């Protein structure tokens, strides 16, 4: 069982992650205060890529000082649908600098862009007692079901504390296949932890019911979304409560 700050992560009790996605420190502080105060936000993801590179450490320090909930830190590169135009080496260096600054509970490491640096980042994170999320994003397609399953399992084999996969559906069947892949990975690796979602309107249902298929967390907003199809955190909480998963 994965436990962080006495918070257990399990598909039987999916956790609600609220994104902190701002383009200046003043807006970021306001979003952080809202996440700290909200009973629906169980942990937060700090998306640093909308901010100037030189502001990353200041942003992390400001969020950590104001937030007493578990914190995921993410630099989403342009290659994975984000805004940071980093080369793999620049991405590694930025992640290492943030690990030195401290204050995070999880570091999101992009599975493909960071392929050459996974081992080094994993070791650096473990030295700081930081958990690792390996993540892969497809903003245009939903890959083949077995390919998605294998990606999730490969992340687990490589040492992920949580294996994350986000895909874009073009049909309802695409969203269903994401859930199938999640269930297949969870069946094959019962001790693993998975965080999956199908994005956009067609995929929104997966953010509510993912726990039934093996996803240990989901993303909900307090007003500012970081990806297509993120519902309100309050709506997620209400759904999880009614379905007996809170």
């Amino acid at each position: 069982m994965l436990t962080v700050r006495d918070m257990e992560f399990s598909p039987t009790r999916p956790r609600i992650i609220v994104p902190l996605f701002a383009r200046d420190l003043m807006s970021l502080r306001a979003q952080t205060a809202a996440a700290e105060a909200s009973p629906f936000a169980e942990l937060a993801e700090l998306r640093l890529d909308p901010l100037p590179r030189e502001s990353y450490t200041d942003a992390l320090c400001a969020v950590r000082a104001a937030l007493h909930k578990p914190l995921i830190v993410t630099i989403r590169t342009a290659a994975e649908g984000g805004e940071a135009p980093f080369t793999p080496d620049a991405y590694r260096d930025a992640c290492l600098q943030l690990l030195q600054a401290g204050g995070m509970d999880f570091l999101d490491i992009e599975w493909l862009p960071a392929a050459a640096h996974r081992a080094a980042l994993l070791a650096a994170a473990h030295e700081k007692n930081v958990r690792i999320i390996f993540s892969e994003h497809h903003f245009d397609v939903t890959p083949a079901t077995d390919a998605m399953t294998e990606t999730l399992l490969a992340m687990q084999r490589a040492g992920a504390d949580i294996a994350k996969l986000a895909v874009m559906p073009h049909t309802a069947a695409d969203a269903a296949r994401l859930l199938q892949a999640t269930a297949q990975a969870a069946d094959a690796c019962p001790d693993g932890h998975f965080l999956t979602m199908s994005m956009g309107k067609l995929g929104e249902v997966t953010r509510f019911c993912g726990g039934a298929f093996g996803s240990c967390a989901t993303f909900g907003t307090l007003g500012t979304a970081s990806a297509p199809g993120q519902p309100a955190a309050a709506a997620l909480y209400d759904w999880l409560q009614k379905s007996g998963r809170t």
Side-chain angles (χ1 to χ4, degrees):
M1 180 68 68
L2 175 61
T3 302
V4 176
R5 295 197 185 196
D6 297 324
M7 179 182 290
E8 294 184 352
F9 290 78
S10 167
T12 61
R13 175 59 176 87
R15 298 297 175 177
I16 299 174
I17 306 167
V18 169
L20 306 177
F21 189 89
R23 301 190 182 281
D24 58 76
L25 292 180
M26 183 177 296
S27 299
L28 180 61
R29 289 188 179 96
Q31 290 183 20
T32 305
E36 176 71 9
S38 172
F40 310 118
E42 295 181 285
L43 61 161
E45 180 194 42
L46 172 58
R47 276 284 300 274
L48 287 167
D49 49 289
L51 294 164
R53 169 70 180 86
E54 60 272 17
S55 298
Y56 284 6
T57 301
D58 288 344
L60 173 56
C61 291
V63 170
R64 185 72 281 170
L67 186 78
H68 298 90
K69 300 176 180 182
L71 178 65
I72 302 167
V73 171
T74 299
I75 304 169
R76 187 66 64 232
T77 67
E80 290 280 309
E83 301 187 24
F86 286 170
T87 65
D89 287 354
Y91 176 76
R92 172 204 58 200
D93 293 346
C95 288
L96 290 174
Q97 182 177 350
L98 291 167
L99 285 168
Q100 287 301 314
M104 70 187 79
D105 297 284
F106 292 91
L107 176 65
D108 182 305
I109 298 176
E110 295 179 343
W111 179 242
L112 294 178
H117 303 301
R118 287 175 199 155
L121 288 172
L122 191 67
H126 285 169
E127 285 182 6
K128 297 293 184 179
N129 199 30
V130 172
R131 304 283 191 164
I132 288 298
I133 299 172
F134 281 137
S135 66
E136 184 172 305
H137 304 77
H138 296 270
F139 279 84
D140 52 351
V141 299
T142 299
T145 307
D146 288 346
M148 291 190 286
T149 301
E150 177 52 33
T151 294
L152 291 168
L153 292 175
M155 291 174 177
Q156 285 290 324
R157 290 194 295 268
D161 293 290
I162 297 178
K164 179 189 175 190
L165 179 64
V167 302
M168 184 64 73
H170 293 282
T171 65
D174 282 345
R177 290 194 302 103
L178 179 279
L179 294 173
Q180 180 184 355
T182 307
Q184 289 177 174
D187 286 345
C189 184
D191 293 329
H193 294 86
F194 304 96
L195 170 52
T196 66
M197 70 286 298
S198 183
M199 295 182 284
K201 190 63 179 176
L202 282 171
E204 185 177 22
V205 63
T206 67
R207 298 180 182 275
F208 286 87
C209 70
F213 296 85
S215 188
C216 69
T218 186
F219 282 82
T221 77
L222 297 177
T224 302
S226 60
Q230 289 176 351
L236 283 173
Y237 183 85
D238 184 59
W239 166 266
L240 293 171
Q241 187 175 50
K242 289 178 179 177
S243 62
R245 292 182 179 269
T246 56

